[in-house]
Amino acid sequence: MISLKNTSPASRIIVIDANHLTDSQLLSANIQQNLKNKVAKDLKVLTSIDENGNEIIIAPFFTNQEKDEHTNTEAVRSLGNLVFKLVSDAQLKEISIQSELSKELTYAFVEGLALSNYKFDKYKSKATTLIDKIFVSTENFTEDAVKTLNRIIKSVFYARNIVNEPLSTLKAKEISESAKAIAEETGIHYKELGIDAIRSLKMGGVLGVNQGSELDPTFTVLEWKPENAINKKPIVLVGKGVVYDTGGYSIKVGDGMMAMKCDMGGAAAVFGSTYLAALEKLPQHIITLVPAVENRINEKAFVPGDVLTISDGTTVEVLNTDAEGRLILADALVYAQQFDPEFVFDFATLTGAAMRAIGTGGAAYMGTASDEIKKIALEAANSTHERIAELPLWDDYAEQLKSEVADLSNLGGPLAGASTAGKFLQHFTKYPWLHFDIAAPAFLSSASSYRPVGGTGSGVRFMLEFFKSYIAHVKK
Ligand code: BES
Ligand code: ZN
Ligand code: ZN
């Protein structure tokens, strides 16, 4: 928990502007002199003893004039992560931050530190020591900034937690219930379409993929509609909710299945960002859709060669049961149409190809939304460092999705797998739309700065920034 406080008995963290070390008001001339030779241009945290004989942690930050603003902001978040490591090694439970950086950079520092203060340890007999209280001096911060940061942390950790929860504890029913809990907390309207509704809507993608499961699929609908909403048509978010992806009969081999509890990372991203939008009381009408299934095997499971009928009547020949995400997303994208959306964003851990194309440092995206929306998205991605890179969605890719027996096949060729998956989705969109393939950034096999091993909550901070800039853009 982050709060405002000027003085406190907690351990002191002093963030200084290393470009102007000798101007520092927080460090004595003595300490400044001592530090002079020790601060280097690379990120590093130092310790010293203050006038009262207490240990202080000093985080010197060099603004790199040659780099852009976003690069510097991200470097400060990483500095926050370095301080976190030192503080957590020392098992300090309460820290107090004083900073000589700008408000924006201080915010990023605290953000990086607080995002690091996470561990999915509920199944460990011995819990990890984390920081209980982070105090920030009032000169750098406002009450509003503290509130927003706490909400960001809460919703990002919510998203990380549901990704990290294994199949045994998070199935289609549970993911919907987790959404119900955030809805009840915030005043979001929650609805779950159960199996009967899914059947009567003829969601053949959702039903087909889930056939190999003992349990029913779910389809969750969240609606955040504040009275002061500035958009007449809703923004619709769609998230892939494959609670586990074995690949089905096109089973994953080797280590391919290891991380597949993460295959509802899209659902986590859209639930998390709707949660955050509601906590922040954004004047934005948002509808969030999550189809949730298990892709696994029993004697009823779908098999390659099967033909499924999506809810709009499109027939799909399943050439690979491991390309299941697009099948359930198709039903959700069709369902979105009834809301006459302003635009639709979908988030999905959709393809290994997106991961190979750009790595874990960002998401691949593509779609038909206006250049204006793409521009706002790109800026939001850079400023939160939840970066996105556009891949093509050329008409040529549709050729690869032709089937001999059905309207579409669910498998493209050996190349451009992220784009052919996107092309498949596009078939079901009759509105401006963007698709974010977060297969890589949603789940990490080792920690990277303030992004922990496992679920990262990827997409949540990005969407908050997107919503805020979009609101500012509309009001203009
Ligand atoms: N869930 C996977 C994609 C994935 C891979 C997510 C790695 C996270 C990490 C998806 O359902 C899948 O299996 N995609 C296949 C598609 C292929 C069969 C066309 C893939 O990418 O190999
Ligand atoms: Zn798959
Ligand atoms: Zn999948």
Side-chain angles (χ1 to χ4, degrees):
M1 186 71 171
I2 306 159
S3 38
L4 282 184
K5 202 169 182 182
N6 252 335
T7 50
S8 104
S11 310
R12 277 171 76 202
I13 316 286
I14 299 179
V15 190
I16 53 162
D17 178 352
N19 300 65
H20 304 102
L21 180 62
T22 47
D23 296 340
S24 175
Q25 303 292 310
L26 293 172
L27 298 179
S28 66
N30 243 346
I31 297 178
Q32 287 176 22
Q33 208 49 42
N34 258 331
L35 285 182
K36 244 186 170 164
N37 314 318
K38 293 187 189 146
V39 294
K41 294 256 168 191
D42 49 340
L43 293 181
K44 179 150 95 181
V45 183
L46 305 157
T47 53
S48 185
I49 305 291
D50 70 10
E51 313 71 51
N52 306 320
N54 297 320
E55 184 161 88
I56 49 173
I57 295 170
I58 302 165
F61 184 69
F62 272 103
T63 308
N64 188 335
Q65 311 289 0
E66 283 149 38
K67 297 282 165 93
D68 65 8
E69 180 200 342
H70 298 319
T71 309
N72 278 308
T73 308
E74 180 61 6
V76 171
R77 289 190 195 101
S78 296
L79 186 65
N81 171 257
L82 289 185
V83 168
F84 168 77
K85 283 182 187 157
L86 203 135
V87 164
S88 90
D89 284 348
Q91 309 225 335
L92 304 177
K93 305 284 276 177
E94 293 190 11
I95 57 170
S96 140
I97 299 168
Q98 290 169 291
S99 162
E100 292 190 331
L101 303 181
S102 67
K103 274 205 163 65
E104 292 73 25
L105 287 179
T106 303
Y107 182 94
F109 175 85
V110 181
E111 184 179 38
L113 200 158
L115 284 168
S116 307
N117 191 31
Y118 173 86
K119 179 86 184 154
F120 186 71
D121 60 3
K122 65 186 276 201
Y123 297 112
K124 282 191 176 275
S125 353
K126 198 170 173 293
T128 323
T129 314
L130 293 171
I131 307 171
D132 289 336
K133 288 187 181 135
I134 301 173
F135 298 110
V136 187
S137 115
T138 44
E139 284 102 67
N140 304 117
F141 252 62
T142 59
E143 197 63 60
D144 281 350
V146 165
K147 278 188 185 149
T148 296
L149 259 183
N150 279 316
R151 291 170 188 147
I152 289 175
I153 298 303
K154 193 169 172 179
S155 47
V156 169
F157 289 6
Y158 159 80
R160 288 177 181 178
N161 283 342
I162 60 172
V163 170
N164 286 329
E165 210 57 74
L167 177 66
S168 57
T169 47
L170 189 111
K171 301 187 169 73
K173 186 81 198 155
E174 285 80 17
I175 197 171
S176 188
E177 272 162 10
S178 86
K180 189 178 182 187
I182 58 172
E184 280 172 355
E185 181 191 330
T186 52
I188 295 169
H189 183 264
Y190 162 90
K191 179 163 90 174
E192 186 200 311
L193 308 181
I195 185 67
D196 295 336
I198 292 171
R199 283 206 186 104
S200 63
L201 287 161
K202 297 190 165 57
M203 293 188 170
V206 173
L207 291 165
V209 174
N210 198 64
Q211 256 167 232
S213 169
E214 295 281 298
L215 303 168
D216 289 334
T218 59
F219 191 105
T220 307
V221 184
L222 296 183
E223 183 169 24
W224 170 246
K225 194 179 184 184
E227 267 170 22
N228 60 345
I230 60 166
N231 49 332
K232 290 201 181 65
K233 295 167 146 202
I235 294 172
V236 177
L237 304 180
V238 173
K240 173 178 172 183
V242 175
V243 288
Y244 201 84
D245 183 12
T246 67
Y249 274 100
S250 311
I251 197 156
K252 289 186 181 292
V253 294
D255 288 346
M257 212 186 290
M258 213 151 65
M260 282 307 132
K261 67 173 184 181
C262 83
D263 216 15
M264 30 58 69
V270 298
F271 281 157
S273 33
T274 311
Y275 186 24
L276 186 49
L279 288 170
E280 283 279 280
K281 296 198 168 41
L282 295 188
Q284 192 74 272
H285 182 194
I286 305 161
I287 295 175
T288 303
L289 309 174
V290 169
V293 299
E294 285 171 35
N295 185 23
R296 55 192 306 186
I297 300 172
N298 64 14
E299 70 277 13
K300 295 191 196 126
F302 75 146
V303 293
D306 273 349
V307 174
L308 304 178
T309 306
I310 306 301
S311 38
D312 68 341
T314 303
T315 57
V316 182
E317 182 185 16
V318 177
L319 289 180
N320 190 317
T321 60
D322 199 10
E324 83 297 338
R326 63 196 74 183
L327 298 168
I328 69 165
L329 289 171
D331 278 325
L333 293 169
V334 169
Y335 192 83
Q337 182 66 45
Q338 69 187 286
F339 303 111
D340 185 21
E342 187 163 324
F343 54 82
V344 176
F345 282 5
D346 81 70
F347 285 79
T349 48
L350 204 62
T351 67
M355 192 173 217
R356 287 188 293 277
I358 57 174
T360 55
Y365 84 106
M366 61 204 82
T368 54
S370 66
D371 287 345
E372 239 171 7
I373 289 177
K374 285 184 183 173
K375 200 172 139 206
I376 296 170
L378 195 58
E379 181 56 27
N382 289 333
S383 69
T384 53
H385 203 71
E386 295 206 323
R387 292 170 299 178
I388 57 173
E390 188 169 13
L391 293 182
L393 197 60
W394 296 323
D395 287 342
D396 325 20
Y397 297 126
E399 287 300 311
Q400 298 185 40
L401 295 165
K402 286 193 170 149
S403 158
E404 291 294 334
V405 301
D407 301 336
L408 283 177
S409 119
N410 78 330
L411 190 64
L415 305 176
S419 287
T420 52
K423 203 69 196 170
F424 181 93
L425 298 179
Q426 191 190 352
H427 176 92
F428 302 94
T429 64
K430 295 194 181 75
Y431 35 68
W433 153 80
L434 289 184
H435 158 58
F436 298 88
D437 192 331
I438 56 168
F443 194 87
L444 300 181
S445 57
S446 58
S448 161
S449 182
Y450 55 85
R451 284 166 291 271
V453 62
T456 58
S458 165
V460 176
R461 291 169 51 245
F462 160 71
M463 276 312 297
L464 176 67
E465 194 56 37
F466 174 85
F467 281 136
K468 287 190 171 171
S469 332
Y470 190 70
I471 291 164
H473 170 80
V474 172
K475 279 190 174 162
K476 250 196 328 217

